Amino acid sequence: MLHAVRTAFSDVLGSFLFRTPPVLQYAALCHRDTPKGREVLMITSSHGRWILPKGWPIDGLSAGETAAQEAWEEAGVKAAAVSEALGTFETIKRFNDGQEVPCETTVFAVEVADIKDDFPEAQKRERRWLPQQEAARTVEEDGLREIIASF
């Protein structure tokens, strides 16, 4: 019995000590209010899934500034940075070479006042405005779904 307890404890401790910490990303929940209600701007990932604009931390920029920069690069949204986060969710980042990395993404609300058709990733992305609850249903990550739905 004591051996079983030690083995179980060792397994738990080992997985805790050697677990890869999540890498950070910052996302922009780009939104606008319409007469029919709030809409969220969704974009396609490189794998064709509907996601929010997001990316890795950028040297010299705050988390909110990074989210605003990603909104520009990936969706053509011109917006001011926001300092207060809506929430954080965890996911697995899958790279084209098959590598997977745990990722923690912090989401910032970005109110869209201006959107351009000519932006850095215009040829790589499809954009679509969706009603808030429909946008929540299109994402795969439970944590992101909850953030969008409760925004």
Side-chain angles (χ1 to χ4, degrees), residues 24-28 54 63 67 85-89 104-108 147:
L24 299 177
Q25 286 197 312
Y26 302 114
K54 65 181 176 7
L86 293 173
T88 300
F89 69 97
E104 181 177 282
T105 304
T106 302
V107 180
F108 295 85
I147 290 170

Side-chain angles (χ1 to χ4, degrees), residues 55-122:
W56 310 111
I58 299 172
D59 285 342
L61 297 184
S62 69
E65 290 168 333
T66 298
Q69 179 65 30
E70 293 299 329
W72 163 246
E73 291 176 10
E74 295 184 355
V77 170
K78 289 288 194 177
V82 179
S83 60
E84 190 171 329
L86 293 173
T88 300
F89 69 97
E90 292 187 12
T91 188
I92 300 295
K93 172 71 174 172
R94 290 173 181 84
F95 294 92
N96 291 336
D97 65 2
Q99 181 183 5
E100 295 182 348
V101 177
C103 191
E104 181 177 282
T105 304
T106 302
V107 180
F108 295 85
V110 173
E111 187 170 2
V112 177
D114 193 19
I115 189 166
K116 304 291 185 187
D117 290 329
D118 184 22
F119 56 96
E121 296 188 19

Side-chain angles (χ1 to χ4, degrees), residues 24-45:
L24 299 177
Q25 286 197 312
Y26 302 114
L29 194 161
C30 302
H31 64 93
R32 67 182 180 189
D33 291 325
T34 72
K36 293 182 180 182
R38 180 174 286 154
E39 292 181 332
V40 174
L41 183 63
M42 304 298 294
I43 64 169
T44 52
S45 72

Side-chain angles (χ1 to χ4, degrees), residues 119-139:
F119 56 96
E121 296 188 19
Q123 302 304 314
K124 296 180 185 180
R125 310 280 182 180
E126 184 180 336
R127 302 182 295 193
R128 185 173 296 161
W129 285 104
L130 296 175
Q132 181 177 347
Q133 296 307 316
E134 185 178 341
R137 289 190 299 270
T138 66
V139 298

